[in-house]
Amino acid sequence: MKPIKVGLLGVGTVGAGTWHVLQRNQEEIRRRAGRGIEVTMVAARNLERARRIVGEAVEVVGDPFAVVNHPEIDIVVELIGGYELARDLVLQAIANGKHVVTANKALLALHGNEIFEAAQAKGVMVAFEAAVAGGVPIIKALREGLSANRIESVAGIINGTTNFILSEMRDKGLDFATVLKQAQELGYAEADPTFDIEGVDAAHKLTIMAAIAFGIPMQFARSHIEGISQLQAVDIRYAEQLGYRIKLLGITRRTVVDGAEGIELRVHPTLIPAARLIANVEGAMNAVLVKADAVGTTLYYGKGAGAEPTASAVIADLVDVTRLATVDPYQRVPHLAFQPAELADLPILPMEEIRTAYYLRVYVQDQLGVMADLTRILAEAGISIDAVLQKEPGEKARTDIVIITHQTREKYVNAAIAKIEALSTVVAKVIRIRLESFS
Amino acid sequence: MKPIKVGLLGVGTVGAGTWHVLQRNQEEIRRRAGRGIEVTMVAARNLERARRIVGEAVEVVGDPFAVVNHPEIDIVVELIGGYELARDLVLQAIANGKHVVTANKALLALHGNEIFEAAQAKGVMVAFEAAVAGGVPIIKALREGLSANRIESVAGIINGTTNFILSEMRDKGLDFATVLKQAQELGYAEADPTFDIEGVDAAHKLTIMAAIAFGIPMQFARSHIEGISQLQAVDIRYAEQLGYRIKLLGITRRTVVDGAEGIELRVHPTLIPAARLIANVEGAMNAVLVKADAVGTTLYYGKGAGAEPTASAVIADLVDVTRLATVDPYQRVPHLAFQPAELADLPILPMEEIRTAYYLRVYVQDQLGVMADLTRILAEAGISIDAVLQKEPGEKARTDIVIITHQTREKYVNAAIAKIEALSTVVAKVIRIRLESFS
């Protein structure tokens, strides 16, 4: 059987990694796929750099539409990033009847519904394993490996930059700004790190996982996003003393509120008991924890970024697409795991309605009755307390009181915090960090 | 599209679990598969029990061949276990042109080559996700998720019974026999626990993973198998003091010996640095660590046994088989990950040739020069020492010296041990436990 022909859009880090792995493991991949997978055309902004990478035998062009419109290309691999040009290219490739492989989480989180609808209408595949958790085959696990299950929740460390920063803050007791600077020097954080540190990248990936876990459309705009830039070293230390680690988690979960089911979709710093496997995922690694009704809890761990880990996922998709290039669409795994006509319309819940536990740090003027006030306010709100950490008074007899609550609804906690902050003995805003026990 | 028809062989723990999950999640599964999956016929030894489980609408028979030979059955699910009757049934189902889903690791480890050859010739699928690590989709990860990679090694905690026993021995400082008895009372170990505690079950699963990781035939007979029944509590304690946990691992790895590549295939108790994620897999849980050239290290974790976790994998296979029931065989993932004509003939290496590090416990008469003798023997064998733990002399001035070596070939260690045991100051057999650092 003659090789399938692939057009590569972008020869940056992941594009070059994809090229190199395809060359190095050519034999291994052909032995698996039963058919060669050949990059015959490449589009790049820097033509010289691209030629240095792919050599003379491959056509290198500056216009990515020349690839997308080329009649001999079977599969387009979109690795240019961004979501305007990428959207146009992917839609054009689909219109031309080509299959698409992409690592572009932003594109899918924002325009996935439109893209999958077009692909469905045209009977082509859009594969995106590389869009979430790099080389970890989490899309395949959620869409195929767990297809027997009613998935209950997905929670993941899905941004390596922030996990690296949090690991360093904890290990070395440093503050956020110092570690971010080091991470930038080491290449673990970009010059403009906003998308990573503010949780936007994690929210893109979480949006995709929520869609395939629950069979709902992509709803990035409805995700709740908090990053780690406001996180203080002191809270990492207190959490540690209470037996917890703080991770930036993307969490999506079915929740029943007042008898109706909805979906939580949220990215924020989260306390996790230190004994949990996912609490021990350090440095730039990724891990995704899935809870489902039949299988229980499963966890998937590995490198979430980098040239070759991401290339691993891109090429796995190429192999899958190569196998199924000509079968009837109904014989393929649906893009969003569920058949297009079978998507659910579960609403994304407002944050006020989510249920979780909380870490509250209250900075108080140490005087008789402070603790009694706090516990009374929480009790009146129906919030029960799991643990308390009270520090020795410091300057001006002020001190931190840390309270870990049991699960409750966020709106009850917010109301209680407003009352706490109104106390004359409370001298700063209450620090509130959500807590998941994963028990 | 009308439902696909499934015949179930066996309604024991996993069979009943499969039935229940298929009923409970019927809608969820149909929304994914795009087609109903319907069990229409069941074979069971205990007809009454089977009827109580599946009700009146399903035909229940005593003769499993009646299912395998029934013209209307599309997929046979083999859950009766064992490898004689099961082999005949699976081969007959294949001969009848039916697809097969099985959770039977012993069957595949022993007769997989014959079964896959028959399935290949007939153009049917034999799916076996449930045969390894229960509901964890590790077969899918190895065969499809990592298809871009040259896989270097696979190491797994793939027997929940032994991991439960080892966790208890460490947590409570108890000896093997005591914990085994408790495990039997709790239902974590069977009345005859031999297959689990002697590592045979793990070796079945490892044989399957090695085949799909490296594209080699099943070679169970060539696997090296050591269980945990000889493991002493004192070694778990010493390992802990040195920063290690002891786990029963199945390990398979490419190794180059004297310029030629071969495969290590071995199950044995193994020291692992306590900081590694896999060292923290506790109780009856499973985890598999895969090292591959592009993706690096990935880990897959979850419940390795039980009715519903195993059913989760059986049904995921049913969904896959349902989708691809009528496509051309070359459009499916090959049984052993590689195309049948592309299997490799890498030899399984004799244990003497494997490379790993070692924990050696030497019980000595404490007198001047003992340590010098030990270090001299190891140095002469070209084995370097990573750490030493020497205990205070106990009764009759005897004591344990524990040595952790760096990586070396097993034959060098065995030769050194023979020399150590010949020393007049060494008063017992040397305890040797292999060590993997996974760094």
Side-chain angles (χ1 to χ4, degrees), chain B residues 285-296:
Chain B
M285 302 304 281
N286 278 203
V288 179
L289 194 67
V290 184
K291 202 173 159 197
D293 70 338
V295 75

Side-chain angles (χ1 to χ4, degrees), chain B residues 362-366 390-395 397-401:
Chain B
V362 191
Y363 193 52
V364 299
Q365 189 72 42
D366 189 38
Q390 183 162 8
K391 307 305 289 184
E392 291 296 306
E395 53 173 318
R398 289 175 173 185
T399 188
D400 282 323
I401 296 177

Side-chain angles (χ1 to χ4, degrees), chain A residues 278-298:
Chain A
I278 197 168
N280 293 281
V281 171
E282 300 292 354
M285 302 303 282
N286 278 201
V288 179
L289 193 67
V290 184
K291 201 172 161 200
D293 70 339
V295 75
T297 295
T298 53

Side-chain angles (χ1 to χ4, degrees), chain A residues 24-25 28 30-32 140 144 147-149 254 293 298-299 301 312 323 326 331 339 342, chain B residues 24-25 28 30-32 140 144 147-149 254 293 298-299 301 312 323 326 331 334 339 342:
Chain A
R24 188 176 74 227
N25 290 348
E28 195 91 2
R30 195 195 49 75
R31 285 173 56 211
R32 287 197 175 95
K140 191 173 276 286
E144 304 172 41
S147 61
N149 293 263
R254 288 182 203 267
D293 70 339
T298 53
L299 178 134
Y301 164 91
S312 171
R323 284 206 177 100
T326 58
Q331 295 174 309
Q339 301 293 328
E342 301 285 353
Chain B
R24 188 176 73 227
N25 291 348
E28 194 91 1
R30 194 195 50 75
R31 285 174 56 211
R32 287 198 175 94
K140 191 172 275 287
E144 304 172 42
S147 61
N149 293 264
R254 290 181 202 268
D293 70 338
T298 52
L299 179 135
Y301 164 92
S312 171
R323 285 208 176 100
T326 58
Q331 296 176 308
Q339 301 293 327
E342 302 283 355

Side-chain angles (χ1 to χ4, degrees), chain A residues 1 21 24-25 27-35 129 134-137 140-151 212-216 254 275 277-278 280-281 285 289 293-303 308-313 315-317 319-320 323-328 330-334 337-339 342-344, chain B residues 1 21 24-25 27-35 129 134-137 140-151 212-216 254 275 277-278 280-281 285 289 293-303 308-313 315-317 319-320 323-328 330-334 337-339 342-344:
Chain A
M1 211 165 179
V21 175
R24 188 176 74 227
N25 290 348
E27 260 307 287
E28 195 91 2
I29 293 165
R30 195 195 49 75
R31 285 173 56 211
R32 287 197 175 95
R35 187 174 175 189
E129 182 62 79
V136 182
K140 191 173 276 286
L142 284 170
R143 287 205 313 188
E144 304 172 41
L146 305 182
S147 61
N149 293 263
R150 190 166 186 279
I151 293 175
I212 63 176
F214 305 120
I216 57 175
R254 288 182 203 267
L277 223 48
I278 197 168
N280 293 281
V281 171
M285 302 303 282
L289 193 67
D293 70 339
V295 75
T297 295
T298 53
L299 178 134
Y300 309 83
Y301 164 91
K303 286 192 185 129
E308 295 214 351
T310 311
S312 171
I315 298 169
D317 275 348
V319 173
D320 281 359
R323 284 206 177 100
L324 299 174
T326 58
V327 304
D328 281 331
Y330 79 89
Q331 295 174 309
R332 300 172 186 149
V333 181
F338 294 79
Q339 301 293 328
E342 301 285 353
L343 292 191
Chain B
M1 210 167 180
V21 174
R24 188 176 73 227
N25 291 348
E27 260 306 288
E28 194 91 1
I29 293 164
R30 194 195 50 75
R31 285 174 56 211
R32 287 198 175 94
R35 187 174 174 189
E129 183 62 79
V136 182
K140 191 172 275 287
L142 284 170
R143 288 206 313 187
E144 304 172 42
L146 304 182
S147 61
N149 293 264
R150 191 168 186 277
I151 292 175
I212 62 175
F214 305 121
I216 57 175
R254 290 181 202 268
L277 222 48
I278 196 168
N280 293 283
V281 170
M285 302 304 281
L289 194 67
D293 70 338
V295 75
T297 294
T298 52
L299 179 135
Y300 308 84
Y301 164 92
K303 285 192 187 131
E308 296 215 349
T310 310
S312 171
I315 298 169
D317 276 347
V319 173
D320 281 357
R323 285 208 176 100
L324 300 174
T326 58
V327 305
D328 281 330
Y330 80 88
Q331 296 176 308
R332 299 172 186 148
V333 182
F338 294 80
Q339 301 293 327
E342 302 283 355
L343 291 192

Side-chain angles (χ1 to χ4, degrees), chain A residues 332-372:
Chain A
R332 300 172 186 149
V333 181
H335 292 112
L336 294 184
F338 294 79
Q339 301 293 328
E342 301 285 353
L343 292 191
D345 58 354
L346 295 171
I348 307 295
L349 294 169
M351 279 303 280
E352 291 265 296
E353 302 298 343
I354 72 153
R355 280 188 68 81
T356 188
Y358 294 85
Y359 162 105
L360 304 176
R361 173 161 64 86
V362 190
Y363 192 51
V364 299
Q365 188 73 42
D366 189 38
Q367 72 190 46
L368 202 68
V370 174
M371 184 63 89

